[in-house]
Amino acid sequence: MKIKKYVSIVAVIIAFSLAITTSITVADDQAGRKEYDGKELSIYFVTKSGATEKEAQRLAEALGISARMVEGKGFVSESGLVAFIDPDRFQYIPVKELGVGEPDEDGHRTTLEAFDFEALEEMKVVEGRKAEEHFAKALKKAELNLGKAKAHVSHSTFEAVDVEGKTIAKAKLDTRISFNRFLDGIPLMGPGASISATFDGKNNVTRLRYADRELKRGNTVSILSQAEAEDYFAELVHLGMPDRQIEDLRVNAELVYYAPPLELNTVEVIIPFYACSATAMNGKDEVALLTEIIPAVEGIEYVPSVYLDASTDGSYVQAQIDIKGGTPPYRIDWSSSSIPLHESDRSIKYKIKNRSSTEEEIVMVTVTDANGVSVKDTIRLDVYLPAQTAIFSATSIHVIWPFLRFFGTENAVTNQFGDLEQGFIDEMLADGVIRLFSWTGMNAWEQDFKAPEDSKWIDKTDITFYVGHGNGNGFTFENTSHDDSKLDYNDATGDWGDKNLEWLALYSCQVLEESWGGMNIFQRWKQEFDGLHLLLGFQTNAAARSSFSGAFAHNMLSACSTVKNAWFDAIATDQPSDRVGVVMGPWRAGDFVTNYNDHFWMKGSVGPDIPGGDIGGFWAVTGP
């Protein structure tokens, strides 16, 4: 039967009128902030992308990066992206090697490393101005023009506490310089506009990224007002979340220019976008929604228009789209509220998979044109289906040591942002890691993270990747019929890692914020650890970037990269420059053994499980 379509997102964009002019705050490249008041902005044409091989080599030489560290490591890609990380020096913490530990629950070999807090006290960092001058001179020697860029100085920080919460070590680990560019006083952001270098205390570069394009000002285009952009984003949120989760929705939109990844070598035009952040009330809690960018340009010359039509026949969904405008070729990504979708055609047919009885299915399509401009359209369909057998059964696989590794994913915002976990899934499957489950939308349940159900789901895996909204108190789920749709910091006491789970990655806003409700990160999250090695998340908001999860998994599965480094490198490359990540873990009483330098299984050394009764304290490292 044909189902009523609630709203077409792109139709909302086209229907916006520019009759109302709103005063919009944007960043100024000289004074810091200024007011923009207008109906038009310039577009910019790309004249060059990235660095040449010679420019990259000159940059490496000027920064003192040895040829040995650069050769054969993809220092500069075909797209002109310059990327480098020193796995031994980045966020270095002194450790003592204590030999081989007891095998883990699956018989995997473990390696013992213990924090050397006395040596940590002797570590120093480079002063920010000195590092800035060094990096700027190196870029100049490489003939890589910064233009009107502003330098921002930040540091990775480390803190360790005992079980009573007393600080026993605290230090800055490095100095990071990022150069942020502006167009017409508006920030240029995105993975294609990322220039940063991180220095250790001896002025060695431990991480470097250069992704930039040379641009030429083009014609002006009409743009949406701030109010119109906020209304559009609110419509998107309302389509994707249950009403009880979006009470008192507050949206803030800020103008930016968005630079897609250099790997998208078809980009010829850079246009204005709005970066939209929002908060909503989840019960008594205010949660931060993943931030997203939406096109600010009116009309279809530079922004594709997509119309989605769908219908149901029993448990099957048929959907098709019509695309106009923008710049072909288009990339098409489908998502649903019940199952991951991998099709890339203009029409799809799939069977709804639901863990419990359902009366609604949400279908979303994201269309991205050759210039990296993405638009979405969404439909809610009425269906009447009983509960079905699990899509992936975590209990049906017989584990044979040491060859099998397991992962799971839970995307609690598929309906709003699409399949932000798909890159992670693709990378893990390509490396031979076995997927136990991938729950999406209304099929992602809070109870999968807490006893007794966690032993069937997240604690049956080696790593689980979660996507959703959150705050310092916890993270949310769209499904309100299985628990209260919010996993608070005290909901999983003694649950994580007591069966198998080593690493839990939370792609969610503010969950690992330094302080929340008068409690620090250690006070809030320590009780969940009972064998869990690392908890990965964000101190700040996180941006909804489809490339992030794949970048994290790719980094983690690369030779020599630790799980921690993989997380921070994905943040540096696929998140805005002001985002701050966090990795937290325990240390063992008596000998300070830690999982700080854990690799994923079969990619390097892994530390032992530290049961709750053996924990002597906790540590956390933060950084961009």
Side-chain angles (χ1 to χ4, degrees):
M1 61 179 175
K2 191 69 174 291
I3 307 299
K4 177 183 177 182
K5 178 170 184 160
Y6 280 55
V7 65
S8 169
I9 295 297
V10 176
V12 172
I13 295 178
I14 297 173
F16 280 150
S17 166
L18 293 177
I20 302 174
T21 301
T22 303
S23 178
I24 304 169
T25 302
V26 300
D28 179 74
D29 54 346
Q30 300 295 328
R33 306 294 289 179
K34 75 177 184 181
E35 294 295 317
Y36 173 80
D37 191 0
K39 298 180 181 179
E40 295 185 339
L41 281 174
S42 297
I43 62 170
Y44 283 80
F45 294 105
V46 177
T47 59
K48 179 195 172 189
S49 291
T52 65
E53 188 170 344
K54 287 185 178 180
E55 290 169 338
Q57 291 296 333
R58 287 198 296 264
L59 181 60
E61 292 172 6
L63 289 172
I65 302 174
S66 68
R68 180 185 62 83
M69 297 294 291
V70 172
E71 288 179 358
K73 294 182 179 294
F75 183 72
V76 57
S77 69
E78 292 183 2
S79 65
L81 169 65
V82 180
F84 165 78
I85 186 169
D86 186 330
D88 298 321
R89 289 178 171 173
F90 178 66
Q91 291 182 341
Y92 170 76
I93 292 285
V95 295
K96 297 177 180 178
E97 305 292 340
L98 301 182
V100 178
E102 294 292 326
D104 86 328
E105 64 278 340
D106 292 327
H108 292 298
R109 180 179 184 232
T110 63
T111 302
L112 302 182
E113 291 184 342
F115 284 132
D116 186 344
F117 291 131
E118 291 184 1
L120 178 63
E121 292 180 357
E122 304 300 319
M123 290 178 55
K124 307 294 181 183
V125 297
V126 178
E127 192 269 328
R129 180 55 62 89
K130 181 179 178 180
E132 177 187 338
E133 291 175 353
H134 182 30
F135 190 25
K137 287 179 180 178
L139 289 165
K140 186 175 182 179
K141 286 182 180 180
E143 298 181 8
L144 295 171
N145 183 26
L146 280 173
K148 293 183 178 180
K150 292 183 65 177
H152 175 71
V153 180
S154 58
H155 305 274
S156 296
T157 61
F158 175 86
E159 183 176 7
V161 301
D162 63 19
V163 288
E164 302 299 326
K166 180 182 177 181
T167 298
I168 59 175
K170 193 170 186 178
K172 293 179 180 178
L173 302 182
D174 54 34
T175 302
R176 180 179 187 249
I177 306 298
S178 57
F179 284 105
N180 302 317
R181 291 186 58 192
F182 300 83
L183 301 175
D184 297 328
I186 296 171
L188 175 64
M189 59 173 284
S194 177
I195 305 172
S196 67
T198 302
F199 300 85
D200 67 11
K202 297 180 180 179
N203 214 31
N204 298 306
V205 175
T206 62
R207 185 174 65 187
L208 172 68
R209 182 174 177 84
Y210 178 87
D212 198 23
R213 294 179 175 92
E214 292 184 6
L215 304 173
K216 179 181 179 181
R217 187 192 299 271
N219 54 290
T220 60
V221 292
S222 298
I223 65 167
L224 307 176
S225 72
Q226 182 181 20
E228 289 166 332
E230 291 173 352
D231 287 344
Y232 161 48
F233 186 73
E235 289 283 355
L236 185 65
V237 172
H238 280 279
L239 277 172
M241 295 177 66
D243 289 340
R244 69 172 281 194
Q245 282 198 321
I246 53 175
E247 296 174 352
D248 195 22
L249 178 68
R250 299 181 182 183
V251 180
N252 180 57
E254 294 187 358
L255 273 172
V256 300
Y257 280 90
Y258 175 70
L262 296 187
E263 291 83 352
L264 187 61
N265 57 17
T266 56
V267 175
E268 297 181 348
V269 179
I270 300 295
I271 69 170
F273 284 75
Y274 279 99
C276 297
S277 58
T279 61
M281 297 304 296
N282 178 272
K284 296 181 180 180
D285 273 345
E286 182 181 77
V287 296
L289 279 59
L290 290 169
T291 62
E292 186 173 20
I293 60 167
I294 60 174
V297 176
E298 185 190 36
I300 63 172
E301 182 177 2
Y302 298 108
V303 179
S305 169
V306 57
Y307 179 80
L308 168 63
D309 191 24
S311 60
T312 61
D313 180 13
S315 61
Y316 285 89
V317 171
Q318 287 186 311
Q320 50 279 327
I321 57 171
D322 180 43
I323 309 171
K324 296 179 180 179
T327 304
Y330 307 107
R331 190 185 77 231
I332 300 169
D333 297 299
W334 294 91
S335 59
S336 87
S337 58
S338 67
I339 187 174
L341 300 176
H342 310 294
E343 291 81 356
S344 58
D345 297 330
R346 296 196 182 201
S347 62
I348 62 168
K349 182 177 181 179
Y350 70 92
K351 185 177 182 179
I352 301 171
K353 300 289 186 179
N354 53 301
R355 298 175 73 180
S356 59
S357 59
T358 183
E359 297 183 355
E360 183 177 75
E361 172 76 354
I362 300 177
V363 186
M364 175 184 286
V365 65
T366 302
V367 174
T368 305
D369 78 352
N371 288 316
V373 180
S374 295
V375 293
K376 297 178 180 179
D377 203 0
T378 303
I379 284 182
R380 290 178 182 263
L381 302 174
D382 294 333
V383 296
Y384 302 95
L385 296 175
Q388 298 173 352
T389 303
I391 309 169
F392 306 101
S393 174
T395 58
S396 63
I397 298 175
H398 178 62
V399 178
I400 305 176
W401 176 86
F403 303 105
L404 301 185
R405 301 162 297 162
F406 302 96
F407 79 94
T409 64
E410 299 245 358
N411 186 338
V413 288
T414 291
N415 309 340
Q416 185 181 347
F417 296 105
D419 51 355
L420 296 181
E421 82 285 19
Q422 191 59 50
F424 183 87
I425 294 172
D426 293 343
E427 292 284 344
M428 298 298 277
L429 292 177
D431 201 72
V433 188
I434 297 171
R435 174 170 57 177
L436 295 187
F437 57 89
S438 283
W439 298 128
T440 67
M442 297 297 285
N443 283 336
W445 296 350
E446 176 189 357
Q447 67 185 46
D448 298 341
F449 290 75
K450 52 195 290 190
E453 295 298 314
D454 68 314
S455 62
K456 301 177 183 178
W457 303 108
I458 73 163
D459 222 337
K460 196 78 172 180
T461 69
D462 295 297
I463 185 170
T464 290
F465 186 88
Y466 161 89
V467 185
H469 303 309
N471 59 19
N473 188 39
F475 46 97
T476 67
F477 298 83
E478 293 178 4
N479 192 306
T480 60
S481 61
H482 294 81
D483 278 325
D484 59 4
S485 77
K486 174 83 177 295
L487 189 133
D488 296 337
Y489 60 80
N490 56 3
D491 277 350
T493 298
D495 291 347
W496 293 346
D498 58 335
K499 296 296 187 296
N500 187 42
L501 183 67
E502 276 84 40
W503 308 286
L504 177 58
L506 303 177
Y507 188 9
S508 183
C509 297
Q510 303 177 13
V511 176
L512 299 186
E513 192 168 359
E514 183 177 8
S515 178
W516 179 268
M519 302 173 69
N520 64 36
I521 181 177
F522 304 113
Q523 292 169 320
R524 299 196 312 276
W525 293 104
K526 66 180 182 179
Q527 58 264 31
E528 270 73 15
F529 284 79
D530 189 16
L532 179 69
H533 292 203
L534 301 175
L535 178 61
L536 307 97
F538 284 81
Q539 185 179 99
T540 60
N541 284 354
R545 299 274 177 84
S546 60
S547 56
F548 176 80
S549 72
F552 167 54
H554 178 80
N555 296 343
M556 183 175 62
L557 298 171
S558 299
C560 299
S561 177
T562 65
V563 177
K564 173 190 68 67
N565 285 1
W567 184 254
F568 282 110
D569 206 31
I571 292 172
T573 58
D574 288 83
Q575 290 285 299
S577 60
D578 61 346
R579 300 312 196 249
V580 177
V582 183
V583 175
M584 176 182 172
W587 55 266
R588 194 163 71 183
D591 57 10
F592 299 104
V593 163
T594 173
N595 302 110
Y596 186 84
N597 290 319
D598 266 9
H599 299 74
F600 191 67
W601 293 119
M602 298 176 64
K603 301 300 175 181
S605 62
V606 181
D609 292 350
I610 305 177
D614 293 344
I615 293 175
F618 294 88
W619 57 267
V621 61
T622 67

